[in-house]
């Protein structure tokens, strides 16, 4: 009990500590201190069959929606975008999947139209870095839930590129920045991956060799294996690319990968420039609106000034000057720019997850199957169905709150460093954020992937219809587990940072953790001694139980991973070999547990500031997510001796089922708060009016060609009859 109290105190200390260091999260305004905002801009939901479950909710779904968004103006912006795009025929949904080329054409036209709508107003543009970026992220989220291809196109082509110019470039690149973000004359791409090298970026082979006589870089692709590939927007549309190539000096010295702005196409004709071989990657298994491409450079010349020179430069005479002594640090600084992109991916995942669970839950509340004495009951009444879906609903809410808070912390730090303000332990904070992003992107994208599949199955055969939208959600989401850092590779980077902290804690040294996400490691020896003592489910359904169990789990997995790694080194293996041999069941499980802990930590801190009427349901969702996730770590909880005997597992699983049962009365309103408008959700199975079969009938009979004889009928009847 004392330990539980100590845990609670240390959780509070964590919150205070983080607040002091990062004012973005210092004393966030208590939701309940706000006046009741006018939420009439959110359309009301039509009364219908879902009322049975809506009427039992303990809270107002519009208030929960606002709370999950975290900002009234951003929520209004999202609805404004959805309403405008709904009225625009260019954004009408297709009942039949268009050809790949047509998808690319429509996506590019949609992006053009979005540019014309100027959702980034002058006011947004002129606001502070963090306010502007948050607004841009919201625009991206709003567009993503309608057509992920457009948002990816926009995110890479405009925002990732302009962000890179700001963080990697200097004044001389301002013209590219203005042309991209203000005038929309540049559509960019981001060319890192090569045919033979993806995750291992250091060994990429495209070169940019400096020619001092002409003050130019000569970009060259030695062979097909070094062709840049998978580059979004490159296949058909981009005018420029942000290229990562090995910087070679006239004397042959290689300074490693650097970023260059490289013109690709004439913006007036979209013809590629001489010296380039550019192709489209062809049909993919999702996001076919994006023109992913490959490129080979044949001694292609670009001006010296096109090197993004914030960290390193080449003088006109051909002298290399850098503020970093180690080339891998320049690459690190350049790739750190990807953090914002990865946060964007997590925000998008939250939307895909929200849409998937909204469809499955609305369906479960309106679809009946089986029952006693022929009284069929809705699927949502079945324990099995609740267990299959509600953990993902809880994840959707927890992730949304986590990412909203985390993005604020991140943007605040970047803003301060851009303004040259002193940020305590900036480089340590950057490393910690990198570790957090590197394990959170896998957690969110994988969970969304699993959820999309589970939700599809939970809607049975009808879930397999294109018009259910679960198939598109799943296949368009899928590449997020690979791009901007393959999940399995990213997790290893988070593990490296965690092990460094563990080593420091063991040796009594200071932790490099300014955000204090692993502050508890200072007490790792005490934490390692705690064990499961609960005797009933009520004791498990507490924040203290969940957080202290996670701390134990992380300490245990750190010890296991560290000991295995050290033992392998002692046997004579190299660091590289020892790391590889301690991934499975150790490093990987460790980073997964840490990412879940982060989501819970940030969410808990946020929930405590939410308005009172929302707290009960949010706490239930928090608790379900925590216990549902811990259930998947039972092996380690037993293996390390935290749990003994059959009681802990029985109690944990019983608590999960009790929470699922409790949430039945809330969950339809929870998904009302999570779901976008009906137009954006675009699912015949989950319109907010709940009229499942009327909507399905309308869709089936309205489908082009539903009742017509096959146009090819003559080809298949026996020729004798013709
Ligand atoms: C839709 C889409 C869009 C993309 N857009 C872009 C873009 O705009 N620009 C761009 O530059 N790239 C882009 N990419 C490429 C993407 O970033 C890479 O595919 C990604 O970085 C992974 O690299 P890879 O494909 O070479 O995989 P590999 O690195 O070859 O990995 C293959 C598998 O091996 C595993 N693996 C690799 N190393 C290890 C290890 N050390 N230990 C254990 N397992 C390991 C990985 O986990 C993975 O499962 C895109 C990809 C897709 C699918």
């Amino acid at each position: 009990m004392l330990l539980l109290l100590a845990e609670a105190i240390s959780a509070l200390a964590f919150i205070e500590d983080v607040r002091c260091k990062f004012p973005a999260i210092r004393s966030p305004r208590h939701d309940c201190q706000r006046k009741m905002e006018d939420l009439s801009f959110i359309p009301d939901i039509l009364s219908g069959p879902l009322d049975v479950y809506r009427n039992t909710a303990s809270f107002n779904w519009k208030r929960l929606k606002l709370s999950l968004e975290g900002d009234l103006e951003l929520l209004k912006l999202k609805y404004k975008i959805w309403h405008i795009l709904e009225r625009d025929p260019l954004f009408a949904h297709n009942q039949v999947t268009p050809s790949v080329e047509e998808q690319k054409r429509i996506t590019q036209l949609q992006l053009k139209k979005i540019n014309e709508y100027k959702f980034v107003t002058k006011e947004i543009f002129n606001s502070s870095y963090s306010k502007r970026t948050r607004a841009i992220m919201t625009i991206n989220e709003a567009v993503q839930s309608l057509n992920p291809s457009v948002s990816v196109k926009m995110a890479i082509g405009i925002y990732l590129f302009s962000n890179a110019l700001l963080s990697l470039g200097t004044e001389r690149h301002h013209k590219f920045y203005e042309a991209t973000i203000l005038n929309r004359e540049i559509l960019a791409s981001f060319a890192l991956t090569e045919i033979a090298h993806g995750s291992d970026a250091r060994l990429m082979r495209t070169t940019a060799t400096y020619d001092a006589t002409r003050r130019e870089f000569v970009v060259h692709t030695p062979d097909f294996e070094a062709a840049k590939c998978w580059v979004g927007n490159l296949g058909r549309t981009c005018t420029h690319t942000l290229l990562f190539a090995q910087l070679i000096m006239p004397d042959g010295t290689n300074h490693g990968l650097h970023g260059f702005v490289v013109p690709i196409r004439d913006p007036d004709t979209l013809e590629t420039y001489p010296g380039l071989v550019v192709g489209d990657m062809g049909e993919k298994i999702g996001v076919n609106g994006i023109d992913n491409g490959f490129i080979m450079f044949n001694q292609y010349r670009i001006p010296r000034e096109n090197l993004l020179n914030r960290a390193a430069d080449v003088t006109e005479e051909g002298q290399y000057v850098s503020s970093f002594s180690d080339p891998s640090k320049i690459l690190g600084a350049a790739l750190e720019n990807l953090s914002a992109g990865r946060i964007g991916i997590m925000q998008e995942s939250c939307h895909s997850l929200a849409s998937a669970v909204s469809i499955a839950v609305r369906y479960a509340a309106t679809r009946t199957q089986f029952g006693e004495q022929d009284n069929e009951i809705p699927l949502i009444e079945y324990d099995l169905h609740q267990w299959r879906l509600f953990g993902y609903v809880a994840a959707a809410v927890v992730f949304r709150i986590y990412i909203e808070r985390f993005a604020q912390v991140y943007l605040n730090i970047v803003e301060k460093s851009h303004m040259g303000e002193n940020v305590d332990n900036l480089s340590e904070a950057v490393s910690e954020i990198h570790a957090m992003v590197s394990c959170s992107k896998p957690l969110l994208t994988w969970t969304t992937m699993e959820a999309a599949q589970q939700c599809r199955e939970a809607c049975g055969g009808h879930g397999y219809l294109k018009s259910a939208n679960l198939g598109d959600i799943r296949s368009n989401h899928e590449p997020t587990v690979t791009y901007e850092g393959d999940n399995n590779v990213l997790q290893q980077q988070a593990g490296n940072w965690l092990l460094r902290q563990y080593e420091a804690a063991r040796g009594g040294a200071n932790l490099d953790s300014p955000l204090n996400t692993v502050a508890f490691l200072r007490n790792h020896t005490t934490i390692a001694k705690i064990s499961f003592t609960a005797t009933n489910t009520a004791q498990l359904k507490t924040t203290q139980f969940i957080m202290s169990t996670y701390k134990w789990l992380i300490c245990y997995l750190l010890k296991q991973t560290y000991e295995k790694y050290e033992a392998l080194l002692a046997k004579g293996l190299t660091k590289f070999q020892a790391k590889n041999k301690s991934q499975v069941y150790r490093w990987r499980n460790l980073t997964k547990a840490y990412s879940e802990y982060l989501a819970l930590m940030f969410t808990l801190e946020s929930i405590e500031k939410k308005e009172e009427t929302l707290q009960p349901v949010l706490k239930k969702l928090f608790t379900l997510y925590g216990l549902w996730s811990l259930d998947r770590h039972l092996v380690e909880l037993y293996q390390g001796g935290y749990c003994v005997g059959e009681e802990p597992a029985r109690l944990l699983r019983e608590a999960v089922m009790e929470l699922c049962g409790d949430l039945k009365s809330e969950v339809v309103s929870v998904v009302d708060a999570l779901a976008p408008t009906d137009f954006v959700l675009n699912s015949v199975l989950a319109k907010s009016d709940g009229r499942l079969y009327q909507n399905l009938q309308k869709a089936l009979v309205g489908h082009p060609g539903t009742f017509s004889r096959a146009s090819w009928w003559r080809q298949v009847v026996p020729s004798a009859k013709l």
Side-chain angles (χ1 to χ4, degrees):
M1 195 60 209
L2 268 180
L3 264 175
L4 288 182
L5 186 63
E7 291 302 323
I9 291 168
S10 82
L12 286 175
F14 162 84
I15 292 160
E16 281 314 313
D17 218 2
V18 174
R19 267 190 212 137
C20 299
K21 287 191 166 121
F22 301 104
I25 54 168
R26 188 184 295 155
S27 306
R29 208 158 74 162
H30 213 292
D31 271 8
C32 48
Q33 287 166 357
R34 288 182 184 151
K35 63 177 183 351
M36 285 291 168
E37 300 86 348
D38 176 10
L39 297 181
S40 55
F41 67 92
I42 305 175
D44 289 329
I45 279 175
L46 285 181
S47 179
L50 288 166
D51 290 355
V52 183
Y53 292 103
R54 284 188 175 127
N55 293 339
T56 52
S58 66
F59 62 94
N60 176 310
W61 68 272
K62 286 191 183 179
R63 296 217 62 78
L64 181 59
K65 189 177 265 299
L66 171 62
S67 187
L68 294 178
E69 190 67 42
D71 185 293
L72 182 66
E73 291 312 312
L74 293 179
L75 187 60
K76 279 187 181 166
L77 175 61
K78 215 174 246 182
Y79 271 90
K80 180 181 134 185
I81 295 169
W82 286 339
H83 290 321
I84 289 176
L85 301 187
E86 184 171 353
R87 286 195 298 269
D88 187 332
L90 185 59
F91 290 83
H93 297 297
N94 287 294
Q95 288 172 301
V96 178
T97 309
S99 70
V100 171
E101 201 54 33
E102 180 63 1
Q103 288 183 60
K104 286 177 186 161
R105 186 184 75 88
I106 295 172
T107 302
Q108 183 62 31
L109 285 177
Q110 289 184 344
L111 177 62
K112 193 165 169 260
K113 199 68 183 286
I114 286 167
N115 287 341
E116 285 162 17
Y117 280 126
K118 293 193 188 316
F119 293 128
V120 181
T121 58
K122 275 214 169 89
E123 196 192 341
I124 293 177
F125 190 76
N126 292 328
S127 57
S128 67
Y129 169 82
S130 65
K131 241 183 141 183
R132 181 174 69 239
T133 312
R134 193 66 195 85
I136 287 170
M137 284 172 160
T138 302
I139 295 168
N140 191 53
E141 288 172 43
V143 173
Q144 187 268 348
S145 29
L146 191 58
N147 179 354
S149 286
V150 189
S151 76
V152 173
K153 207 167 219 314
M154 181 168 78
I156 304 175
I158 299 167
Y159 300 120
L160 191 68
F161 182 66
S162 48
N163 222 9
L165 293 173
L166 283 185
S167 53
L168 307 178
T170 53
E171 306 76 54
R172 70 190 190 205
H173 304 110
H174 203 74
K175 59 179 184 200
F176 296 120
Y177 178 77
E178 275 201 1
T180 310
I181 200 144
L182 267 188
N183 308 331
R184 304 285 156 111
E185 292 159 353
I186 286 183
L187 180 72
S189 59
F190 182 92
L192 175 64
T193 308
E194 293 180 358
I195 294 282
H197 288 98
S199 305
D200 191 2
R202 283 167 315 133
L203 293 186
M204 308 233 156
R205 290 170 51 239
T206 303
T207 51
T209 307
Y210 188 62
D211 175 356
T213 53
R214 289 174 58 180
R215 292 173 186 166
E216 289 172 339
F217 283 102
V218 184
V219 181
H220 190 65
T221 309
D223 51 46
F224 174 69
E225 287 178 23
K228 294 288 175 188
C229 64
W230 277 109
V231 181
N233 294 346
L234 178 68
R236 297 271 190 259
T237 52
C238 76
T239 58
H240 292 70
T241 197
L242 168 55
L243 172 77
F244 285 90
Q246 305 285 350
L247 193 162
I248 314 279
M249 297 309 291
D251 66 359
T253 315
N254 183 347
H255 288 284
L257 276 194
H258 287 63
F260 300 83
V261 176
V262 181
I264 301 292
R265 286 188 174 85
D266 180 335
D268 295 324
T269 62
L270 291 190
E271 290 277 12
T272 49
Y273 292 119
L276 302 177
V277 176
V278 180
D280 188 277
M281 297 291 286
E283 184 164 2
K284 304 176 295 260
I285 51 180
V287 285
N288 272 306
I290 309 168
D291 46 321
N292 291 87
F294 59 90
I295 185 167
M296 294 181 76
F297 300 90
N298 185 9
Q299 310 290 350
Y300 186 70
R301 290 182 169 265
I302 56 169
R304 181 188 71 95
E305 294 78 15
N306 286 22
L307 167 67
L308 294 177
N309 62 333
R310 182 171 289 265
D313 204 356
V314 173
T315 63
E316 286 187 356
E317 297 71 33
Q319 186 127 38
Y320 181 81
V321 277
S322 165
S323 45
F324 292 94
S325 51
D326 177 359
S328 69
K329 290 210 169 126
I330 298 177
L331 176 62
L335 297 187
E336 193 41 48
N337 190 50
L338 286 176
S339 276
R342 289 177 186 144
I343 292 174
I345 288 178
M346 290 192 260
Q347 290 166 328
E348 291 172 5
S349 293
C350 288
H351 278 262
S352 302
L353 177 56
S355 292
V357 295
S358 300
I359 295 168
V361 165
R362 285 182 178 163
Y363 186 77
T366 44
R367 171 80 167 178
T368 59
Q369 288 294 295
F370 299 105
E372 286 168 311
Q373 280 119 38
D374 287 343
N375 286 328
E376 282 194 320
I377 58 170
L379 296 174
I380 202 170
E381 296 291 336
Y382 289 102
D383 280 19
L384 176 58
H385 216 71
Q386 292 170 7
W387 177 78
R388 287 170 64 192
L389 294 181
F390 291 4
Y392 292 114
V393 176
V397 170
V398 166
F399 291 171
R400 179 103 196 105
I401 297 175
Y402 166 45
I403 291 308
E404 201 262 316
R405 302 291 307 136
F406 180 51
Q408 274 183 34
V409 174
Y410 170 79
L411 294 176
N412 182 259
I413 293 176
V414 176
E415 177 165 287
K416 285 183 112 193
S417 85
H418 276 185
M419 286 162 64
E421 274 184 43
N422 186 33
V423 179
D424 287 347
N425 307 323
L426 178 62
S427 76
E428 288 82 3
V430 169
S431 301
E432 188 166 13
I433 285 176
H434 180 72
M436 293 165 77
V437 169
S438 301
C439 63
S440 298
K441 186 222 157 202
L443 175 70
L444 268 70
T445 54
W446 271 330
T447 308
T448 302
M449 199 59 217
E450 277 170 28
Q453 180 62 26
Q454 190 60 254
C455 291
R456 206 298 285 152
E457 292 175 32
C459 293
H462 298 325
Y464 204 66
L465 277 170
K466 178 180 168 63
S467 57
N469 201 19
L470 287 162
D472 281 349
I473 290 174
R474 189 185 53 193
S475 45
N476 289 329
H477 169 76
E478 193 186 326
T480 64
V481 306
T482 300
Y483 63 54
E484 299 218 16
D486 171 86
N487 279 358
N488 282 291
V489 176
L490 273 182
Q491 280 186 323
Q492 297 182 26
Q493 298 178 18
N496 291 341
W497 181 84
L498 280 168
L499 280 165
R500 281 207 303 277
Q501 305 316 311
Y502 184 65
E503 272 187 342
R506 277 170 57 96
N510 284 340
L511 299 173
D512 281 340
S513 170
L515 276 83
N516 270 336
T517 62
V518 291
F520 62 89
L521 287 186
R522 290 189 195 104
N523 307 324
H524 68 99
T525 44
T526 321
I527 291 172
K529 291 183 193 135
I530 67 169
S531 59
F532 186 100
T533 53
T535 52
N536 57 48
T537 55
Q539 291 166 348
L540 268 70
K541 291 189 272 183
T542 61
T543 53
Q544 288 88 339
F545 172 80
I546 292 167
M547 299 318 282
S548 64
T549 305
Y550 262 103
K551 285 175 188 172
W552 179 91
L553 184 62
I554 293 167
C555 289
Y556 172 70
L557 288 167
L558 269 169
K559 183 166 178 290
Q560 289 285 300
T561 310
Y562 177 82
E563 285 174 358
K564 167 99 182 176
Y565 177 65
E566 290 295 316
L568 291 168
L569 287 181
K571 272 192 194 166
L573 269 67
T574 63
K575 284 185 179 177
F576 178 75
Q577 292 164 335
K579 244 181 218 178
N580 290 339
K581 293 218 167 286
S582 38
Q583 293 297 330
V584 185
Y585 299 127
R586 290 181 170 80
W587 215 283
R588 195 172 188 274
N589 295 15
L590 163 67
T591 52
K592 183 165 189 294
Y594 172 60
S595 61
E596 289 161 358
Y597 173 76
L598 288 173
L600 288 162
M601 186 85 249
F602 275 67
T603 303
L604 178 59
E605 192 259 339
S606 231
I607 288 178
E608 281 161 3
K609 310 291 169 305
K610 301 284 184 196
E611 61 186 65
E612 264 168 37
T613 56
L614 300 177
Q615 295 223 2
V617 68
L618 287 173
K619 281 186 181 153
K620 272 184 209 164
L621 289 160
F622 169 93
T623 312
L624 176 58
Y625 178 71
L627 297 181
W628 179 78
S629 303
L630 280 173
D631 184 15
R632 298 171 176 205
H633 293 292
L634 272 177
V635 169
E636 292 85 27
L637 292 174
Y638 274 95
Q639 200 180 16
Y642 181 82
C643 294
V644 179
E646 64 158 24
E647 198 63 355
R650 190 186 65 74
L651 282 176
L652 181 70
R653 290 175 172 177
E654 211 170 288
V656 167
M657 292 315 298
E658 284 173 11
L659 283 160
C660 286
D662 279 0
L663 278 164
K664 189 185 73 182
S665 56
E666 310 272 32
V667 74
V668 170
S669 291
V670 171
V671 301
D672 287 340
L674 284 169
T677 60
D678 281 355
F679 170 71
V680 175
L681 188 60
N682 188 27
S683 174
V684 68
L685 304 184
K687 293 199 186 302
S688 56
D689 65 10
R691 293 174 210 282
L692 171 63
Y693 298 120
Q694 287 101 313
N695 292 328
L696 191 56
Q697 185 178 10
K698 221 189 282 172
L700 288 181
V701 302
H703 198 267
T706 299
F707 299 112
S708 53
R709 181 170 55 166
S711 60
W712 33 265
W713 69 273
R714 282 181 193 280
Q715 298 167 27
V716 291
V717 293
S719 52
K721 290 195 179 165
L722 289 178

